[in-house]
Amino acid sequence: MQRHSGGYRAAPPWPGGPDPRRARVVALAGAVVFVLALPLAVASAGTVGERGSPAGDETAPAGGGPRVPGPRSSPPPPDPGPATAARCGPELSSPEGVEAQTCVLTRGGRTWARTYYRNATGDALSSALTLMGPGGRTVQMDCAVDAQDDPGACETPRQRTAGDPGAYSAVAEFARSADGPLMLRSGSNSARGQGD
């Protein structure tokens, strides 16, 4: 009579078929691999531009290695709004070293004056910019011009355009002080070569 140890004894596999224990182990291992790989796949499928880089920049793959360029997309251009019309006089200069060009600008039903200047005199200057409109309307702006040889600009407040924008003109006057002798007068309709 055969004696059994009382332990569990697996049934022999079906003749010619797969071992059921091995099939269960393979299926279980496959499920574990799938569960572990799923969060990794989701993390690596994030949007371009994650990890602090803007969209369209080059991004490195999760495993390191060479950088791969991401898709290139540019944002839509900003709305430029209504166009600005500018009527400018010529660039003028004085023998003392002041250069200026004065313009009348119009945009969106508003008109204003602007003067571009450069002060190479080595002294701080005083400047008065005046916008003259139809019907004797005037707007004046006093500007301090630093003693630096850097380009600068001064402009009047923007006024509601009254009538024809072409009827406006502007003039800028530069002097060493508000009551000192005039060094340069620059107008939006100055004749070329007028600098005193």
Side-chain angles (χ1 to χ4, degrees):
M1 178 182 219
Q2 263 188 332
R3 304 184 73 189
H4 297 284
S5 62
Y8 174 76
R9 178 181 283 200
W14 293 97
D19 183 357
R21 285 185 303 166
R22 180 177 288 168
R24 272 190 300 239
V25 169
V26 169
L28 183 60
V32 169
V33 168
F34 176 76
V35 169
L36 292 177
L38 185 61
L40 202 63
V42 170
S44 66
T47 60
V48 173
E50 285 183 352
R51 298 188 208 120
S53 63
D57 283 358
E58 294 185 346
T59 54
R67 294 173 68 83
V68 178
R72 303 287 174 182
S73 63
S74 57
D79 182 11
T84 301
R87 289 181 296 104
C88 300
E91 294 179 26
L92 301 175
S93 60
S94 74
E96 293 91 344
V98 182
E99 301 172 5
Q101 182 180 30
T102 303
C103 305
V104 172
L105 305 165
T106 304
R107 181 174 79 183
R110 300 277 178 177
T111 300
W112 67 101
R114 181 183 295 161
T115 187
Y116 302 93
Y117 61 82
R118 187 177 197 128
N119 177 14
T121 65
D123 297 321
L125 302 178
S126 175
S127 173
L129 174 62
T130 306
L131 173 67
M132 295 160 284
R137 306 170 106 182
T138 61
V139 177
Q140 184 171 342
M141 186 73 180
D142 293 323
C143 307
V145 179
D146 293 335
Q148 297 176 354
D149 189 14
D150 293 328
C154 174
E155 66 180 37
T156 64
R158 300 177 185 201
Q159 304 293 311
R160 185 178 303 280
T161 304
D164 180 16
Y168 284 83
S169 62
V171 63
E173 297 177 324
F174 295 84
R176 292 195 187 277
S177 62
D179 55 355
L182 187 64
M183 298 173 67
L184 177 69
R185 178 182 287 123
S186 167
S188 60
N189 55 0
S190 298
R192 187 167 296 277
Q194 178 183 358
D196 50 306

